[in-house]
Amino acid sequence: MAPPRDFTFAVPGDWVRIRVLDDAQRDADVRRIAQAVTRGRPDRDRLMPQVARVLHEAVAARTDSRTVEVHLPVLQKGAPPVACALAVGVVPPRDGDRPGGEDAAFLAAAGTGATAEVVDLACGPVARLRRRTSAPAPDGRRVETAVVQYQHPLPGGGFVLLSFSTPLLELLDPLTALFDAVAGSFRWLP
C-alpha cells in the first residue's frame, strides 16, 4: 500500500483554519477572518485590528514547532460563544522508533491527573489523552484549561496529533463528544 499523501477531517461549519507553517499564509488567513467577522460593521476600521490581534494571540498560544494549522470557532451574530480550539500537529518518527509504538508511548506519557485510553471512534481505535493545564488568557492571567488529544499514527512511523483545548470545564463532557466526532472523522488521503 502506498503511503498517504495527506489527511482530512471535518470541523463544525463555523470553525476556521489558520495555517501556521508560513508567516504569509498565517497573516493572510487572520486578515481574511478579521475582515469577515467585521464586515458590515460601522466600527470596522477600529475593530478589525483588534480581532486580528486576538486571532494572532490565540494561534500563538496553541502553536509549537510541530503545529501545521489551528482551527478556531468564529462567532456568528447572535450565536453563543464556544471557547475551544484545535491545534493540528505532525510528529515525524524518531530514530529507533518502531511503527505503531507511538500509541504506547503516548498513553504512557499521560502523567499525574491525566486520563489516557484507546477509544473507538468512527475512523477506528484512536489513542486519546485528557488532562488539565493552566493556559495564558489574553489579559495576562492564567486560566485552567482542559486539553483533549488524539493520536493518529502515520503509516511507517510518526503521527498526526489533534489537540483540542477549552477553558469551559463545565461543558467538557459535551465538548469532548464534539472533539470525538471531529477526531473520528479523520481520514487519510491517497
Side-chain angles (χ1 to χ4, degrees):
M1 181 171 125
R5 66 174 172 79
D6 206 349
F7 56 87
T8 187
F9 52 88
V11 295
D14 60 350
W15 286 29
V16 296
R17 178 180 80 153
I18 301 173
R19 298 164 293 178
V20 298
L21 286 179
D22 178 271
D23 291 345
Q25 286 180 334
R26 182 192 58 239
D27 293 345
D29 288 345
V30 166
R31 190 171 39 259
R32 176 183 47 79
I33 296 163
Q35 288 171 344
V37 168
T38 60
R39 184 173 291 125
R41 293 186 55 115
D43 58 349
R44 180 180 189 182
D45 291 342
R46 181 186 58 78
L47 188 59
M48 198 164 70
Q50 294 173 13
V51 170
R53 181 181 46 79
V54 168
L55 289 169
H56 275 292
E57 288 173 359
V59 169
R62 288 161 180 86
T63 302
D64 63 24
S65 63
R66 297 176 176 144
T67 303
V68 295
E69 58 192 36
V70 172
H71 296 256
L72 300 169
V74 173
L75 298 178
Q76 303 299 322
K77 189 173 183 177
V82 178
C84 58
L86 164 60
V88 181
V90 177
V91 181
R94 293 179 301 193
D95 290 338
D97 280 354
R98 59 177 175 64
E102 293 90 357
D103 277 356
F106 179 71
L107 294 171
T112 311
T115 303
E117 58 195 336
V118 175
V119 293
D120 285 319
L121 301 178
C123 65
V126 177
R128 178 178 71 187
L129 182 105
R130 294 187 291 179
R131 61 187 167 85
R132 297 221 177 145
T133 187
S134 177
D139 63 5
R141 58 191 173 90
R142 306 289 295 178
V143 177
E144 186 176 6
T145 302
V147 176
V148 183
Q149 296 177 303
Y150 302 83
Q151 180 180 351
H152 293 277
L154 285 162
F159 55 92
V160 174
L161 185 65
L162 304 182
S163 297
F164 296 87
S165 61
T166 181
L168 299 176
L169 302 180
E170 63 278 3
L171 296 178
L172 188 54
D173 287 340
L175 284 174
T176 299
L178 170 66
F179 303 158
D180 282 354
V182 171
S185 71
F186 186 92
R187 301 286 182 266
W188 292 110
L189 299 175

